[in-house]
Amino acid sequence: MARLDIEIQSRKMLKPSASTPDNLRRLKLSLFDQLAHRAYVTMLLNYLPSSSDHETISYDKLEKSLAQTLIKFYPFAGRFGKDDPFSIDCNDEGVEYVQTKVHADDLPEFLRQAVGPNDIESSLLDLTLPVMVHMPSSPLLGVQVNVFNNGGIAIGIKISHIIADAFTIATFVNEWAHTCLTGTITQDTNDYLPSFGQLSSLFPARVLQLPSPPNLVPNYYKMIVTRRFVFDALAIENIRKTIKKDSTSDDMIKQPSRVVVVMSLIWKVLTHISSAKNGYSRDSSLGFAINLRGKLSCVPSLEHALGNYVMIAIANMEADEVRKDELNDFVKLVGNTIRDTCVAIGKASSVDDISSLTVNNRKKGVEKLVQGDKMDVYTATSWCRLSWYEADFGWGKPFWVSPVGFNAVEGAFLMDTKDGNGIQVTVCLKEKNMTEFEKHLHILSSTPIVG
């Protein structure tokens, strides 16, 4: 399959099915929203053709349920504030909604080719997403429903990172699916009160003096290639067995999580590629986000807050600490960084403490990036333990979920596999670095990405 024959059947600006109340028409951004990357986050949910156990898709029902869901997620149908850069005008202008017919019979076969070794993702998977450019006047959310000849469905989503982190996106997707499946919006209870505005009332956006990130060279994004790998449960356990036990370490290091194991291994491989390329070891940093929900003792009521609510943590390794075969060092650094950051979060006695910690960590991250010609800086994003595979619109749960076009910087993007025990890793590197990275495939599971 050299190309995707896709026919746009309808395109519209879909509005919420009820107007947003006047008292919710202006949403102030939080400090965390302010620090989020100004770009769309993408997601692709893929569904096999409906079986006799599930109803046939009703496109009117899918569209209607999204309009209903937007009542609850009203900022998604708004636009960036024209007179206030730290706000969203919740004006119900709508979200980009596209429905297509894909003239191909087999969705799994298409996906196997699109995420295969030939790096044709940009020309295939990107076509399953709505065409949108992240600008002040642009929609904040876009949805494209792609229907294959045999009934397979790929739902492509683009959403501005400024209004949503992974938790928020997963909450939205599952609420939309629930509404489509049942015809009703989830009723709020005392145990589940997701809402916008909670974070900005406590952590308002502000004028910040942050160092400017380095300018990317022309065509930088075109230099980045994307590959996907799967660590199944057995592969992760085998890697764990290679980690030497240290009686002085705490439980996080003695029994590292799946995410810590995979993150650490990827970081180790990347540092060795750098050493081989440069002829010497360089200082190296790995930055990753920590979800703050449920971690603040000073503000315990934000467990289900919507918007961005994460803090950057940075693990650092000096050049002389890099060893050829010691995964332990990387596991300790990642594990200790997570532990120390969570301890600092837990000890914070006020929202000001959390704000200062968030801003300071962001400054450190940008300062590392500025030194890019002298050291190596990587990012790793984990969307594990979120309910991506629970989104049933009425024709079953998705058989594969993945981000698309995650090529902003060199790094890795982690998500659970469908069984919840393994981890799918989307790796983005410059082409020469990717060639070296793929030589380490012997440490990876042979589990296929799709199918």
Side-chain angles (χ1 to χ4, degrees):
M1 183 184 296
R3 64 186 183 90
L4 185 62
D5 186 1
I6 185 168
E7 175 188 351
I8 294 178
Q9 295 190 316
S10 67
R11 182 194 299 273
K12 65 176 63 177
M13 201 59 62
L14 184 67
K15 302 178 183 294
S17 57
S19 298
T20 299
D22 289 341
N23 65 312
L24 298 177
R25 285 272 168 166
R26 175 62 64 91
L27 174 69
K28 291 289 186 179
L29 294 178
S30 73
L31 173 66
F32 307 103
D33 298 327
Q34 180 184 2
L35 295 176
H37 188 47
R38 272 150 172 70
Y40 288 115
V41 179
T42 62
M43 183 60 62
L44 187 64
L45 298 98
N46 301 279
Y47 295 84
L48 293 173
S50 299
S51 68
S52 58
D53 296 327
H54 299 94
E55 67 178 65
T56 302
I57 179 175
S58 167
Y59 304 110
D60 290 341
K61 185 177 181 182
L62 192 64
E63 181 179 324
K64 180 181 177 181
S65 62
L66 176 56
Q68 289 177 291
T69 305
L70 289 174
I71 298 174
K72 196 169 185 176
F73 291 81
Y74 57 94
F76 293 1
R79 298 294 184 271
F80 290 115
K82 294 180 180 179
D83 56 353
D84 181 358
F86 298 147
S87 71
I88 300 295
D89 287 335
C90 304
N91 52 20
D92 299 334
E93 282 195 28
V95 304
E96 183 83 2
Y97 186 76
V98 183
Q99 183 178 316
T100 76
K101 179 67 175 178
V102 182
H103 297 290
D105 291 327
D106 193 334
L107 173 59
E109 177 59 28
F110 157 70
L111 292 172
R112 275 190 287 269
Q113 294 190 45
V115 301
N118 298 320
D119 195 47
I120 55 176
E121 173 181 319
S122 60
S123 62
L124 289 180
L125 287 189
D126 280 355
L127 295 176
T128 64
L129 300 172
V131 178
M132 299 162 62
V133 180
H134 198 272
M135 299 174 62
S137 60
S138 300
L140 301 178
L141 170 66
V143 174
Q144 183 166 312
V145 179
N146 306 278
V147 184
F148 285 69
N149 288 341
N150 67 346
I153 301 162
I155 299 179
I157 295 173
K158 276 187 176 180
I159 186 166
S160 173
H161 200 343
I162 297 176
I163 60 168
D165 60 7
F167 175 90
T168 303
I169 299 170
T171 302
F172 161 71
V173 168
N174 279 280
E175 179 63 27
W176 178 21
H178 170 84
T179 303
C180 187
L181 181 66
T182 66
T184 60
I185 300 175
T186 300
Q187 297 299 310
D188 291 337
T189 69
N190 290 333
D191 296 324
Y192 182 69
L193 287 170
S195 63
F196 294 91
Q198 290 176 298
L199 292 170
S200 57
S201 66
L202 293 169
F203 304 94
R206 63 191 71 173
V207 177
L208 297 173
Q209 296 297 324
L210 293 173
S212 299
N215 292 323
L216 298 178
V217 299
N219 296 320
Y220 174 83
Y221 298 122
K222 295 181 180 180
M223 298 165 58
I224 301 293
V225 297
T226 301
R227 300 285 187 272
R228 287 175 172 81
F229 309 96
V230 169
F231 296 79
D232 62 14
L234 179 59
I236 294 173
E237 187 56 35
N238 287 338
I239 296 167
R240 269 204 189 103
K241 291 177 181 178
T242 69
I243 301 172
K244 298 177 182 178
K245 305 300 180 183
D246 185 342
S247 59
T248 63
S249 300
D250 59 24
D251 290 340
M252 178 177 287
I253 312 304
K254 290 179 181 178
Q255 297 294 329
S257 68
R258 296 175 305 140
V259 170
V260 169
V261 168
V262 174
M263 249 187 218
S264 301
L265 180 60
I266 291 171
W267 189 19
K268 172 191 170 183
V269 170
L270 293 176
T271 60
H272 294 164
I273 292 172
S274 172
S275 297
K277 180 176 67 176
N278 293 294
Y280 59 91
S281 296
R282 307 205 312 174
D283 291 348
S284 182
S285 292
L286 180 71
F288 48 89
I290 292 181
N291 183 7
L292 293 174
R293 294 173 179 84
K295 293 183 174 66
L296 273 67
S297 58
C298 60
V299 191
S301 61
L302 299 176
E303 186 175 355
H304 300 294
L306 298 179
N308 288 282
Y309 196 27
V310 299
M311 177 185 295
I312 300 300
I314 305 170
N316 301 299
M317 176 170 281
E318 296 182 1
D320 57 6
E321 295 178 317
V322 180
R323 302 177 188 174
K324 185 176 180 180
D325 297 313
E326 290 294 341
L327 179 59
N328 299 56
D329 294 337
F330 295 89
V331 170
K332 287 181 182 179
L333 281 174
V334 173
N336 286 339
T337 299
I338 294 173
R339 180 198 61 198
D340 294 345
T341 304
C342 289
V343 168
I345 292 168
K347 287 183 176 180
S349 59
S350 67
V351 294
D352 287 340
D353 290 343
I354 294 298
S355 297
S356 296
L357 184 59
T358 300
V359 173
N360 288 338
N361 282 10
R362 175 60 178 267
K363 286 181 179 178
K364 291 176 183 177
V366 176
E367 288 168 356
K368 297 287 184 184
L369 287 172
V370 172
Q371 302 178 55
D373 58 340
K374 299 178 181 178
M375 66 176 296
D376 299 312
V377 181
Y378 306 105
T379 64
T381 301
S382 173
W383 281 13
C384 294
R385 300 183 68 182
L386 293 172
S387 52
W388 303 110
Y389 283 94
E390 296 303 312
D392 183 354
F393 289 84
W395 58 87
K397 296 178 180 180
F399 78 94
W400 186 57
V401 180
S402 179
V404 178
F406 182 69
N407 61 347
V409 292
E410 291 194 291
F413 192 108
L414 283 62
M415 288 189 70
D416 292 317
T417 51
K418 186 174 183 178
D419 64 10
N421 298 318
I423 292 179
Q424 172 191 284
V425 185
T426 303
V427 179
C428 301
L429 296 170
K430 293 178 182 176
E431 190 165 6
K432 289 184 178 180
N433 292 339
M434 183 64 76
T435 300
E436 294 301 314
F437 187 87
E438 289 181 304
K439 292 179 181 178
H440 293 78
L441 285 178
H442 65 277
I443 63 175
L444 304 176
S445 166
S446 59
T447 305
I449 303 297
V450 180

